[in-house]
Amino acid sequence: MGMNLQTFRAPTMAECLAEVKRVMGPDAVILHTRTLTLKRFLGLRRREIVEITAGRGLNGGPRGPRARIQGGNQRPMEAGGRNEPQARSGNNGNLATLPPPRESMPPPRPMPDPAYSPDSTALRDLIERMDGMAKNITDLHTIVRSKDAPEVPEELFDEYMHLVDAHVEKGVAEEIVKTLHRTLRPDHLQQRQFVREKIAEQLERLLPVSGPITRTKTSGPHVVALIGPTGVGKTTTIAKLAAKLKLDENRRIGLVTIDTYRIAAVDQLKKYADIIGSPLRVVHTPEELREAVLHMRDCDFVLIDTAGRSPKDTLKLNELRTFLEAASPEEVHLVLSATADRDCVNLAIEKFSNVRVDKLIFTKLDEARHVGAVLGIVRNVRKPLSYVTTGQGVPADIEVARGKRIAQLILGSDL
Ligand code: GDP
């Protein structure tokens, strides 16, 4: 007897049947249906799914097909009353027919329908295989549960998911909701807004920030260098910082760029330097850089832009290190884009940390979909966040990093 057997799963019976019909056609035979209650679906949430095992190519006859899918209206036969497919489809609104929620998957049982007693070898074989499949599912979820399941208080589960969806690391999200659960009164835990504020406070507490670039010297310029991958926004950020320091604090700013490759970037910085009335020097060697800084000794701040060097290119990173040693800046900020994928960011951190990193700047928060990742990166690098940038506008789109603000952005506030 040629037989094609497949198992389908979906959140509701209706969806599951539709899928059976789509894949196996209207002549599919429903052999078994059941509802599984997964205590923690992918280690996260209690969830119910419907499972249908359907076959095609079975012979009909007196003990033949138990249900065929025709037009989607026909109700499949139920396996020993253990399933209520209509109630589960959510279409009849009769919630009273729903069984009480189960906490774990019921043990697999053979089909107990007396009209369908398994007297052929093929059917016995089939039942054994289905039992085997059910056991595999049980095993799988036991593993998932023990390995990944977060120990998250039920009433804060949605808040935990909200943090994870914003790309806050799972361990950090778990820690935050646990702390709230420990410290908040039960009636406060019910107040969504209050809980959100407390979560924001926790996020803020976890995010080290440095405050703005501040001159501490009494003589000579306070030298700041920006390094980072190409295209993250170093030049734009230098222009923003220069304009801010000049306009807000009336400081004398010197600009230096060691961008020896991209003439366009020099032009861009030259344009900004002209607008704010600051000198710009383009240097090609570490010695020229040292001279340029000396030359700008009357400035309050010297800001150094660096060429976009690929983090993969260690030779050029070595070159960059030599430049920085020559300039001996007060601070080196690693500029990272909040839109870059985590692997790129990690690679940049690994490479540029070998040069020198004192603080972090995150650009393009306006384009970032998940600001939560910033928190994880800052914590991993163990360097404080100095500034974030929020658009292409010079000088408007830059802010001194503040924990509270970043926390709100992580939780979904608009810029
Ligand atoms: P560099 O190669 O690191 O010097 O990067 P650039 O300063 O040349 O910037 C690369 C691109 O990113 C330019 O188009 C900038 O306008 C853009 N950019 C810089 N900062 C931001 C920001 O905060 N938000 C957005 N959306 N774009 C930015």
Side-chain angles (χ1 to χ4, degrees), residues 27-289:
D27 287 325
V29 177
I30 306 293
L31 292 163
H32 188 59
T33 73
R34 64 176 182 160
T35 307
L36 309 177
T37 305
L38 306 179
K39 193 168 187 179
R40 292 202 188 275
F41 180 71
L42 296 180
L44 296 175
R45 198 192 271 280
R46 251 200 312 272
R47 189 164 291 187
E48 288 194 343
I49 58 168
V50 174
E51 183 185 274
I52 297 179
T53 304
R56 203 172 43 197
L58 271 173
N59 286 335
R63 287 177 176 162
R66 307 176 73 220
R68 278 164 187 270
I69 309 189
Q70 281 158 356
N73 292 329
Q74 197 170 334
R75 185 171 171 168
M77 288 171 79
E78 294 169 15
R82 284 177 55 216
N83 306 290
E84 291 83 13
Q86 296 300 317
R88 300 223 164 201
S89 73
N91 291 334
N92 64 357
N94 185 5
L95 291 176
T97 63
L98 280 170
R102 291 190 201 102
E103 285 299 300
S104 60
M105 198 182 73
R109 278 195 249 154
M111 292 175 292
D113 187 349
Y116 196 47
S117 56
D119 55 0
S120 79
T121 317
L123 277 174
R124 261 199 300 275
D125 196 38
L126 167 65
I127 288 164
E128 272 169 26
R129 277 164 63 189
M130 289 197 308
D131 279 353
M133 283 191 286
K135 185 174 178 312
N136 285 344
I137 295 168
T138 314
D139 290 349
L140 180 68
H141 285 95
T142 310
I143 293 164
V144 167
R145 219 173 14 237
S146 59
K147 267 193 180 165
D148 280 351
E151 291 298 323
V152 174
E154 198 63 36
E155 55 272 60
L156 290 172
F157 191 84
D158 285 349
E159 302 303 332
Y160 167 81
M161 284 307 291
H162 187 69
L163 289 167
V164 171
D165 285 347
H167 286 200
V168 173
E169 285 170 356
K170 282 183 187 163
V172 175
E174 195 176 324
E175 204 48 53
I176 288 176
V177 291
K178 274 183 174 172
T179 304
L180 291 202
H181 195 248
R182 244 193 349 260
T183 53
L184 295 191
R185 284 183 5 213
D187 56 322
H188 281 161
L189 284 178
Q190 307 302 325
Q191 297 170 26
R192 198 180 170 79
Q193 188 55 34
F194 184 78
V195 169
R196 283 276 158 100
E197 279 164 24
K198 291 292 162 193
I199 289 177
E201 280 174 20
Q202 294 290 318
L203 289 169
E204 187 180 346
R205 197 177 55 82
L206 292 172
L207 189 83
V209 293
S210 70
I213 293 170
T214 311
R215 189 180 145 87
T216 44
K217 290 167 130 183
T218 47
S219 69
H222 185 95
V223 180
V224 180
L226 265 55
I227 63 172
T230 311
V232 290
K234 291 183 298 297
T235 304
T236 314
T237 305
I238 289 257
K240 290 171 181 174
L241 288 172
K244 281 251 174 237
L245 289 166
K246 174 91 181 181
L247 300 174
D248 296 354
E249 299 183 27
N250 199 24
R251 300 292 200 163
R252 284 162 300 177
I253 314 296
L255 296 171
V256 183
T257 179
I258 46 178
D259 188 339
T260 52
Y261 301 97
R262 295 182 314 155
I263 299 304
V266 175
D267 285 350
Q268 193 191 344
L269 197 56
K270 177 91 181 78
K271 195 179 74 189
Y272 291 122
D274 288 346
I275 293 171
I276 58 177
S278 292
L280 169 70
R281 287 176 74 108
V282 183
V283 299
H284 304 94
T285 64
E287 193 46 42
E288 281 179 24
L289 177 59

Side-chain angles (χ1 to χ4, degrees), residues 229-237 240 262 268 305 363-367 389-392 397:
T230 311
V232 290
K234 291 183 298 297
T235 304
T236 314
T237 305
K240 290 171 181 174
R262 295 182 314 155
Q268 193 191 344
D305 192 9
T363 59
K364 308 191 188 185
L365 259 68
D366 53 310
E367 288 181 353
T389 77
T390 55
Q392 293 181 305
D397 296 332

